[in-house]
Amino acid sequence: MTLETAAEAADWTGAKAILFDLDGVLTPTATVHERAWQELFDGYLSSRPDVPGYRESDYFDHIDGKPRFDGVRDFLASRGLTLPEGPLDDLPAHETVQGLGNRKNAIFNEIVSAGVEPFPGSVRFLDAALERGLKVAVVSSSRNAPAVLEAAGLSPHFAVVVDGVVAAEQGLPGKPNPATYEYAAKLLDLSSPECVVVEDAVSGVQAGHAGSFHSVIGVDRGAGRQALIDAGATLVVNDLQELIP
């Protein structure tokens, strides 16, 4: 598939920027997040034999693409569980929403400390987009986005990064609300209809679809092609390399 053909399929005509999700789109850290969430809830639920254990599908059903603490709340709700919120900097050992979220973050950081290799196809697509003169930004629910971009060697490409920290500072609701993507467009001095959203999570595609964005490209890293289309993706690929010659 040539870049021109892919552009037509994705309806890129007139687009001036690409807004990338990070985990699962640019870097394979979505799998690291999956592993960290499983370790977290396997440990937490080990003392609750009356509650169904963590399943692989739980990540895509309740957690993927959402801000960390929303993921904790939604997973607990799926098991009929509630916990006190706790302070934002609650200790990872505490059984609160914030405590469990911070415990998951500690597990994640320990895993990625060894380094992160970005998806080669995504790097090629990013380079092609920059060569075409498009602006780029990262929009991630993760509070670790700057560290992951640095570990992957991608930081120099992204002057605009809207992550979980920025969202909290600006009072922006997380995905599937389009607010973080809309804020990134604003920081690029562009309107939403001038920007293409690239996402691998159902909640992220829903965010792009809910906004007035130019188009939404879904990258199927496990959520499922049909699920991404149903969520509002304009086009779904298995790897962003499919969009370049």
Side-chain angles (χ1 to χ4, degrees):
M1 179 180 286
T2 67
L3 186 59
E4 288 74 22
T5 300
E8 291 173 2
D11 191 20
W12 284 17
T13 305
K16 295 183 179 179
I18 300 181
L19 311 180
F20 293 90
D21 177 46
L22 176 59
D23 301 313
V25 169
L26 293 174
T27 62
T29 37
T31 59
V32 179
H33 281 289
E34 285 186 69
R35 176 179 164 188
W37 282 110
Q38 179 160 4
E39 287 190 26
L40 168 69
F41 287 122
D42 279 348
Y44 173 68
L45 295 177
S46 64
S47 61
R48 295 174 174 266
D50 56 320
V51 177
Y54 185 87
R55 300 182 293 266
E56 183 178 346
S57 60
D58 285 320
Y59 180 73
F60 294 106
D61 291 342
H62 308 298
I63 297 169
D64 189 24
K66 298 177 183 177
R68 187 194 319 156
F69 302 114
D70 286 350
V72 173
R73 294 184 194 97
D74 289 352
F75 174 81
L76 292 175
S78 76
R79 298 304 194 267
L81 301 174
T82 57
L83 286 175
E85 280 294 308
L88 185 62
D89 60 349
D90 210 351
L91 295 176
H94 289 177
E95 292 195 353
T96 63
V97 169
Q98 306 292 334
L100 289 183
N102 292 335
R103 191 185 309 174
K104 180 265 173 182
N105 195 50
I107 296 170
F108 176 85
N109 285 331
E110 182 177 354
I111 297 171
V112 300
S113 62
V116 176
E117 288 292 331
F119 289 111
S122 295
V123 173
R124 295 187 187 103
F125 176 72
L126 171 62
D127 289 341
L130 292 171
E131 288 173 4
R132 290 166 65 92
L134 295 172
K135 295 182 178 181
V136 296
V138 163
V139 181
S140 172
S141 297
S142 174
R143 291 171 175 260
N144 300 307
V148 171
L149 286 169
E150 184 68 28
L154 297 176
S155 293
H157 297 299
F158 294 101
V160 172
V161 177
V162 178
D163 66 351
V165 174
V166 173
E169 291 174 347
Q170 298 297 320
L172 304 174
K175 305 169 187 179
N177 190 291
T180 51
Y181 275 112
E182 291 169 343
Y183 188 64
K186 179 180 178 181
L187 292 179
L188 291 174
D189 293 321
L190 296 173
S191 64
S192 295
E194 295 175 300
C195 302
V196 175
V197 169
V198 184
E199 267 283 357
D200 71 307
V202 168
S203 61
V205 170
Q206 289 172 334
H209 182 67
S212 55
F213 293 98
H214 190 279
S215 54
V216 184
I217 297 175
V219 185
D220 184 11
R221 306 287 193 193
R225 183 182 187 86
Q226 192 59 50
L228 295 174
I229 291 174
D230 291 344
T234 309
L235 172 73
V236 177
V237 297
N238 292 318
D239 191 285
L240 289 176
Q241 186 168 331
E242 296 172 33
L243 301 180
I244 57 178

